[in-house]
Amino acid sequence: MASDAVEIEAGGRTVRVSSPTRVIYEETELSPEVTKLMVAQYYVAVEDGLLRALRNRPVALERWPKGVREGMEMSTRADSHGDAFYQKRMMRGAPSYVESTRVLFPSGRPADELCVTEVAVAAWAAHMGAITFHPWPTRRADNDRPDELRIDLDPFGSATFADAVRVADVARELFAELGVRAFAKTSGKRGIHVYTRIEPRWTFTDVRHAAIAFARALEERTEGVTTKWWKEERGDNVFVDFNQNCRDRTIASAYSLRPAPGATVSMPVTWDELRGVTDPRDFTLHTVPARLAADGDAWAEIDDVRHSLEPLLELWAADPTEMPYPPEYPKMPGEPKRVQPSKAKKA
């Protein structure tokens, strides 16, 4: 039977895309429909920014093979029957140019995970139904020593994207006072991600402690910020998710599509631009390639300097109070009880 697959050019390679007319994102009031072929072509179009975020990193794929539809759900550890899933292990049958790298999960189990080395790998992943790339904060030369610190600002309750923008600007000021240059991107949903490159000298535990210290300093500096891990305690604040710096906890990369109506993008922006963003849904598969081609990557200089963690680790040393780890983690040294306060037994 004849195949309806097509071939596209990606960084000098030919990549086959099957079922190219399959609708991945349905039409909305704000955006036309998006096909599988368009997803693959999008990632080729944003090669410069995408590879700056992904190159030589272990990457988990968020795969939505049936497309993104209302009511569809992601598979979880408790229920594997969802419509989409995270691909954390290298798939069989990959082309010869698709490479992998060895990682160690929190359980202590090793695995070979996809490693993006060129844009053809991203196009092939789109052919496999991937829409979002979730890179580790490490390079394959040493997957135990992160070279990124990630601050995830997540509006909670009645807090809004505008609140996250305000808090992000305070985070920029705080980083600058510590001698660190930070970069911002929209999450592609309601939040803001603030990144900085660091020297790959410290462990995941060290980087997480640095993130906790930064989050506490941010909480002290401005209102509307919380570091409370338990949702019932967060209130209407911007939550600083320090646990995104744990081993095997990942964030959607710069220029990744998100599973949201309209094919929104996690979009790098300059700090001046961020202050003017009112609706992150303006950054989509349809608008981002032309913007990148015209203005260049807002994160073009992110790799120019790798910062020391020492200033943040000094803050941690002043208050080394451990916080809960994610639920899939084994019990960690110094960790408080991993039970939400309303369910904790009264003394």
Side-chain angles (χ1 to χ4, degrees):
M1 181 178 295
S3 171
D4 64 349
V6 299
E7 293 182 339
I8 64 172
E9 193 277 332
R13 294 192 188 275
T14 299
V15 178
R16 178 180 178 275
V17 180
S18 65
S19 304
T21 60
R22 178 181 297 161
V23 175
I24 304 300
Y25 294 91
E26 295 179 327
E27 181 181 6
T28 72
E29 293 181 357
L30 301 175
S31 175
E33 72 177 20
V34 173
T35 65
K36 185 178 176 183
L37 176 60
M38 292 167 67
V39 171
Q41 291 172 327
Y42 163 79
Y43 281 122
V44 174
V46 298
E47 174 183 0
D48 179 57
L50 183 72
L51 291 187
R52 188 167 287 109
L54 298 181
R55 194 186 300 275
N56 291 330
R57 297 186 184 279
V59 175
L61 301 176
E62 189 174 339
R63 295 174 63 186
W64 292 76
K66 301 176 184 177
V68 178
R69 303 284 191 280
E70 184 177 356
M72 285 187 171
E73 296 183 352
M74 175 70 67
S75 294
T76 64
R77 292 168 63 90
D79 183 1
S80 61
H81 296 92
D83 304 283
F85 57 96
Y86 288 104
Q87 181 83 43
K88 290 190 174 185
R89 295 177 182 272
M90 185 67 182
M91 296 92 88
R92 295 179 180 177
S96 60
Y97 60 82
V98 178
E99 300 180 25
S100 65
T101 183
R102 178 59 58 97
V103 297
L104 194 68
F105 293 139
S107 64
R109 291 179 293 108
D112 292 320
E113 195 156 290
L114 180 77
C115 186
V116 176
T117 57
E118 56 181 285
V119 74
V121 177
W124 173 79
H127 153 73
M128 296 297 292
I131 63 168
T132 308
F133 297 93
H134 292 264
W136 280 46
T138 63
R139 309 278 185 174
R140 64 176 173 177
D142 187 348
N143 286 323
D144 293 320
R145 306 281 173 175
D147 75 334
E148 284 183 345
L149 174 68
R150 300 169 172 180
I151 302 300
D152 181 8
L153 303 176
D154 184 12
F156 200 80
S158 64
T160 65
F161 176 78
D163 295 317
V165 170
R166 180 188 64 80
V167 172
D169 205 40
V170 179
R172 177 195 59 79
E173 293 175 354
L174 181 54
F175 269 126
E177 291 174 10
L178 295 168
V180 174
R181 185 180 180 187
F183 294 77
K185 67 182 178 74
T186 65
S187 71
K189 294 184 179 179
R190 300 175 62 235
I192 300 290
H193 300 153
V194 180
Y195 279 42
T196 185
R197 292 287 195 262
I198 60 174
E199 299 170 2
R201 295 167 44 198
W202 293 275
T203 66
F204 277 94
T205 300
D206 293 329
V207 177
R208 177 179 177 273
H209 286 165
I212 292 172
F214 185 88
R216 288 173 176 158
L218 191 60
E219 188 176 29
E220 292 176 0
R221 174 163 296 211
T222 187
E223 62 182 9
V225 176
T226 183
T227 59
K228 298 293 186 182
W229 174 249
W230 301 107
K231 292 182 179 180
E232 64 187 34
E233 295 186 312
R234 293 178 189 171
D236 299 319
N237 296 297
V238 175
F239 170 55
V240 186
D241 190 353
F242 49 85
N243 273 334
Q244 293 290 20
N245 292 277
C246 290
R247 180 186 292 273
D248 194 37
R249 295 284 284 197
T250 56
I251 298 177
S253 79
Y255 296 99
S256 268
L257 298 171
R258 303 308 311 276
T264 58
V265 171
S266 183
M267 183 66 185
V269 289
T270 67
W271 288 104
D272 286 342
E273 289 171 331
L274 180 61
R275 297 181 192 104
V277 176
T278 57
D279 190 344
R281 296 177 299 175
D282 290 342
F283 303 120
T284 72
L285 172 147
H286 303 285
T287 63
V288 166
R291 175 190 171 93
L292 179 62
D295 301 333
D297 182 13
W299 284 17
E301 298 177 354
I302 194 170
D303 290 316
D304 288 358
V305 178
R306 297 189 295 183
H307 298 282
S308 172
L309 268 189
E310 293 296 346
L312 287 172
L313 292 177
E314 290 175 5
L315 290 179
W316 167 258
D319 180 15
T321 304
E322 192 55 274
M323 300 286 278
Y325 274 77
E328 69 272 16
Y329 262 66
K331 184 69 174 179
M332 302 298 287
E335 184 185 3
K337 288 183 178 180
R338 201 181 297 176
V339 58
Q340 62 191 74
S342 63
K343 293 184 179 180
K345 293 182 179 179
K346 303 298 182 181

